[in-house]
Amino acid sequence: MYRFVVCRGVTAKARPKGLSWFGSFNLSSRSIHSIPFATVDVEEISGSQPAEVHNLVQGKWKGSSSWNTLLDPLNGEPFIKVAEVDEAGIQPYVESLSKCPKHGLHNPFKEPERYLLFGDISAKAGHMLSLPKVSDFFTRLIQRVAPKSYQQALGEVQVTQKFLENFSGDQVRFLARSFGIPGNHLGQQSHGFRWPYGPVAIITPFNFPLEIPALQLMGALYMGNKPILKVDSKVSIVMEQMMRLLHYCGLPVDDVDFINSDGKTMNKILLEANPRMTLFTGSSRVADKLAVDLKGRIKLEDAGFDWKILGPDVQEEDYVAWVCDQDAYACSGQKCSAQSMLFMHENWSRTSLVSKIRDLAERRNLEDLTIGPVLTFTTEAMLEHMSKLLQIPEILKKNTYELVTREIFGPFQIVTDYKRDQLPMVLDAVERMHAHLTAAVVSNDPLFLQEVIGNTVNGTTYAGLRARTTGAPQNHWFGPAGDPRGAGIGTPEAIKLVWSCHREIIYDVGPLPRHWEIPPST
């Protein structure tokens, strides 16, 4: 495991200013009036017609004395104004959270009708997102603020739609299913319940403007919590519009507070409002700070330096190359699950896999947003990092390992090969990584799969010939492992883990045994 190369996605020549790239999808122009909840027209957002993003607190949409102007990531034109709350304006949000009791807005003994309410809201919202004009509205809005291909943006909308459908009808109350155990004597039984935390906070990043905040928000609400939601201001317009859709579908307007602010202001809100639980999705540096500030009352889905190991059985070379390209470069590599490091068995090194990955990367272009702007890392910084890596002869040396495993949130991956007897070195390399989100073991060799899976820990691991590192559908758990703070998303298990705690109630109603007498002291 000595030779390695660095692969960057190939960027294409930028198009002129404007929104002409929407035209390639042959979409007819639609007024916002055909979408009853919408307050923006995606195609009209521009410097001359900037959109506005508001805050929601105590049931009312509000502006701000301080508006932050965002630049279009494709042409640099000012195009969205965000009403940002500063430290002087946090009191209404602190008060709103403080009004929610620790036992929540509902629980199995309090307003259980709300479980049914949220089943109905989910059904209606899922139906709304299934409508082509609504699905297209959110897909194009995502593209405006987090440029990615139409299919990648649509995938977010579809996952959110399916998630909402999954939790329609009685499925919300099934999340609160309890269990009972017989007691020691007649009239005694113990019952375990899922209990809300009450006031909670949700903080989510820019790269999935709809899917991450929507799924975590609904999970929090299903279990009876009162959330304050902060999405990265660069993309918060998407979730602001989703909030309006949820209100249209019956969500009580005072159930959720929605805030735009910088990190320092949000940190102050958390310290003063003291939410009982905070869900944070983002960088490890901020995650570790919040874990200390909030005294451990936090769940995290932080950074992921995600790896893929190719086993000894070489087959379906074109397919494996295509998946590697998708994993590393779709969404311009700006996924927490993006393929950061590829370990190739020596058998794969003898194939044309790397050249095929290169050819696939070269197909990507700005025209259709299969490659796009990197929002948190500069080209110069990536090139500098690449230059340093190419001077390293061996990955596992102590003074080089940290550099090699530094996460670059962009179209960037490291490719290395290993010999048959070097698999323990590969496993040592992945063991030393500090983030364990996704992984892929590409092999149909059962003994190879057994060895790799049995000696690794990543929370979402794909195994088999079709294994990938990316993809967070609504039908399976997505989240890290190996960290008690780790959060999940999308499934009943994830919702119960993140958004509820266990409460045991022991009924002991008698009757007392006949002729009972006070026993001796013990």
Side-chain angles (χ1 to χ4, degrees):
M1 193 175 67
Y2 297 99
R3 180 179 69 85
F4 74 96
V5 297
V6 181
C7 293
R8 288 186 66 241
V10 179
T11 57
K13 186 167 64 177
R15 289 181 63 86
K17 284 189 176 184
L19 305 178
S20 59
W21 45 274
F22 280 128
S24 63
F25 305 118
N26 195 29
L27 299 171
S28 60
S29 176
R30 298 185 180 93
S31 165
I32 62 172
H33 301 299
S34 65
I35 301 177
F37 61 85
T39 60
V40 299
D41 188 324
V42 179
E43 295 182 2
E44 297 300 322
I45 301 174
S46 63
S48 59
Q49 298 184 59
E52 293 187 352
V53 183
H54 294 80
N55 301 291
L56 176 67
V57 62
Q58 298 178 359
K60 295 180 180 179
W61 288 105
K62 295 185 176 182
S64 171
S65 59
S66 175
W67 291 84
N68 180 24
T69 300
L70 304 180
L71 304 183
D72 189 322
L74 286 174
N75 60 30
E77 182 182 58
F79 78 138
I80 296 176
K81 294 165 60 180
V82 181
E84 291 210 339
V85 176
D86 58 22
E87 293 186 41
I90 68 173
Q91 203 54 38
Y93 301 89
V94 173
E95 291 174 359
S96 182
L97 270 190
S98 300
K99 288 177 182 176
C100 179
K102 294 177 185 177
H103 55 260
L105 300 179
H106 63 264
N107 62 52
F109 289 76
K110 174 187 174 181
E111 297 192 50
E113 300 85 357
R114 281 173 55 91
Y115 292 114
L116 306 183
L117 169 67
F118 279 100
D120 291 342
I121 293 169
S122 295
K124 293 172 183 175
H127 173 70
M128 287 291 289
L129 287 182
S130 74
L131 300 176
K133 65 181 180 181
V134 176
S135 174
D136 180 62
F137 169 81
F138 278 106
T139 300
R140 292 182 291 118
L141 190 57
I142 290 168
Q143 286 189 294
R144 292 303 309 271
V145 293
K148 57 182 78 174
S149 71
Y150 191 88
Q151 195 59 41
Q152 288 286 321
L154 177 62
E156 275 196 65
V157 181
Q158 292 174 332
V159 166
T160 305
Q161 176 215 334
K162 292 296 183 183
F163 170 87
L164 291 165
E165 290 177 350
N166 285 350
F167 291 98
S168 59
D170 288 322
Q171 296 305 314
V172 174
R173 67 168 148 196
F174 288 163
L175 291 171
R177 179 182 282 118
S178 61
F179 62 85
I181 303 294
N184 292 333
H185 49 256
L186 185 63
Q188 186 186 74
Q189 285 186 334
S190 61
H191 291 262
F193 295 92
R194 299 311 300 179
W195 217 253
Y197 290 104
V200 299
I202 303 169
I203 304 171
T204 63
F206 73 89
N207 56 330
F208 285 87
L210 178 65
E211 181 181 340
I212 294 176
L215 269 60
Q216 294 291 14
L217 174 68
M218 297 308 293
L221 290 167
Y222 293 157
M223 301 311 295
N225 301 291
K226 162 71 181 278
I228 180 172
L229 172 63
K230 179 196 173 335
V231 181
D232 189 315
S233 294
K234 292 192 292 292
V235 300
S236 61
I237 189 172
V238 177
M239 201 58 203
E240 188 227 40
Q241 294 299 301
M242 185 64 188
M243 288 296 306
R244 295 180 188 275
L245 180 150
L246 291 171
H247 291 159
Y248 180 78
C249 293
L251 174 67
V253 292
D254 53 359
D255 271 16
V256 180
D257 294 331
F258 179 81
I259 187 170
N260 299 288
S261 72
D262 61 20
K264 185 179 178 184
T265 299
M266 189 63 195
N267 192 257
K268 187 171 184 179
I269 291 175
L270 295 177
L271 294 177
E272 293 196 16
N274 195 29
R276 304 304 299 169
M277 217 290 292
T278 294
L279 179 281
F280 176 78
T281 305
S283 76
S284 294
R285 179 183 59 81
V286 176
D288 289 340
K289 179 185 185 305
L290 287 175
V292 175
D293 289 349
L294 302 177
K295 298 179 174 63
R297 294 191 302 273
I298 193 167
K299 288 289 185 182
L300 305 174
E301 195 235 288
D302 55 353
F305 189 87
D306 306 297
W307 49 264
K308 177 181 289 181
I309 298 175
L310 305 185
D313 45 327
V314 176
Q315 51 186 316
E316 302 294 348
E317 187 179 323
D318 288 343
Y319 180 82
V320 172
W322 174 75
V323 175
C324 286
D325 172 72
Q326 286 292 107
D327 282 345
Y329 304 133
C331 298
S332 303
Q334 295 173 109
K335 294 183 179 183
C336 55
S337 57
Q339 178 176 305
S340 299
M341 195 161 189
L342 176 64
F343 297 91
M344 296 190 305
H345 189 279
E346 59 183 332
N347 294 346
W348 282 97
S349 301
R350 302 186 188 105
T351 71
S352 55
L353 179 70
V354 171
S355 63
K356 288 182 176 181
I357 295 173
R358 181 198 61 210
D359 293 343
L360 290 167
E362 288 177 348
R363 299 190 309 171
R364 297 182 174 275
N365 63 83
L366 194 61
E367 178 89 16
D368 57 7
L369 291 181
T370 50
I371 198 71
V374 176
L375 301 186
T376 59
F377 220 81
T378 66
T379 301
E380 291 76 14
M382 277 194 283
L383 291 173
E384 181 184 354
H385 185 61
M386 182 178 69
S387 178
K388 291 178 180 178
L389 289 173
L390 291 173
Q391 299 174 34
I392 296 173
E394 184 180 347
I395 290 173
L396 291 177
K397 285 187 176 180
K398 185 176 181 180
N399 59 343
T400 60
Y401 183 79
E402 281 194 19
L403 180 67
V404 171
T405 56
R406 179 188 177 193
E407 183 184 18
I408 303 296
F409 212 58
F412 195 102
Q413 67 168 322
I414 293 173
V415 180
T416 186
D417 57 5
Y418 68 97
K419 299 184 184 302
R420 181 178 59 182
D421 60 355
Q422 290 180 320
L423 181 59
M425 297 173 67
V426 174
L427 297 176
D428 177 53
V430 300
E431 171 72 16
R432 288 165 58 183
M433 295 175 188
H434 74 275
H436 303 288
L437 182 55
T438 70
V441 189
V442 182
S443 175
N444 281 348
D445 181 334
L447 295 180
F448 183 84
L449 291 176
Q450 179 176 285
E451 183 170 6
V452 174
I453 294 172
N455 288 279
T456 54
V457 71
N458 294 47
T460 305
T461 301
Y462 296 87
L465 175 64
R466 302 185 66 173
R468 55 185 179 168
T469 65
T470 61
Q474 73 294 332
N475 62 301
H476 68 65
W477 163 281
F478 184 86
D483 187 338
R485 306 169 302 172
I489 190 171
T491 63
E493 292 78 16
I495 292 171
K496 287 184 279 190
L497 172 77
V498 175
W499 295 117
S500 69
C501 57
H502 181 87
R503 185 182 187 187
E504 193 84 2
I505 298 175
I506 299 91
Y507 290 96
D508 206 345
V509 297
L512 293 177
R514 188 174 297 181
H515 309 306
W516 182 87
E517 295 181 358
I518 296 176
S521 297
T522 60

